[in-house]
């Protein structure tokens, strides 16, 4: 139900999930550098508009992403 999904393993039991992508830019086993694009957002998984599903998991369990994200000021 989430369309195209990419999962990034950060080690120590942490992973991030990104879903509803239109196109994946990485393959299984690829390294990801900070700031590097991993996918292009889309409307897969039955959505009518483009959206991104984001989740952080610690040891397989969802974790509140709010503590990991900082607010940017523009």
């Amino acid at each position: 139900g989430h369309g195209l999904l990419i999962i990034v393993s950060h080690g120590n039991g942490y992973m991030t999930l990104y879903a509803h992508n239109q196109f994946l830019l990485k393959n299984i086993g690829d390294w990801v550098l900070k700031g590097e694009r991993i996918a292009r957002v889309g409307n897969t998984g039955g959505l009518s508009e483009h959206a991104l599903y984001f989740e952080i998991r610690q040891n397989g369990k969802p974790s509140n992403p709010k503590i990991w994200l900082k607010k940017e000021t523009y």
Side-chain angles (χ1 to χ4, degrees), residues 3-50:
L4 294 178
L5 169 71
I6 193 163
I7 300 172
V8 178
S9 173
H10 300 275
N12 296 324
Y14 287 95
M15 63 178 66
T16 49
L17 290 75
Y18 308 84
H20 297 301
N21 298 295
Q22 192 67 36
F23 188 78
L24 303 180
L25 302 173
K26 292 292 182 177
N27 294 307
I28 294 173
D30 285 351
W31 285 92
V32 178
L33 302 174
K34 181 179 178 180
E36 190 173 11
R37 292 181 183 178
I38 58 172
R40 292 193 181 133
V41 70
N43 61 347
T44 61
L47 296 178
S48 59
E49 295 184 19
H50 286 68

Side-chain angles (χ1 to χ4, degrees), residues 33-71:
L33 302 174
K34 181 179 178 180
E36 190 173 11
R37 292 181 183 178
I38 58 172
R40 292 193 181 133
V41 70
N43 61 347
T44 61
L47 296 178
S48 59
E49 295 184 19
H50 286 68
L52 174 68
Y53 175 85
F54 173 72
E55 183 178 306
I56 296 176
R57 290 189 181 192
Q58 181 180 12
N59 298 320
K61 296 181 181 181
S63 177
N64 184 349
K66 190 174 184 178
I67 63 172
W68 295 96
L69 303 174
K70 67 179 182 178
K71 187 176 183 177

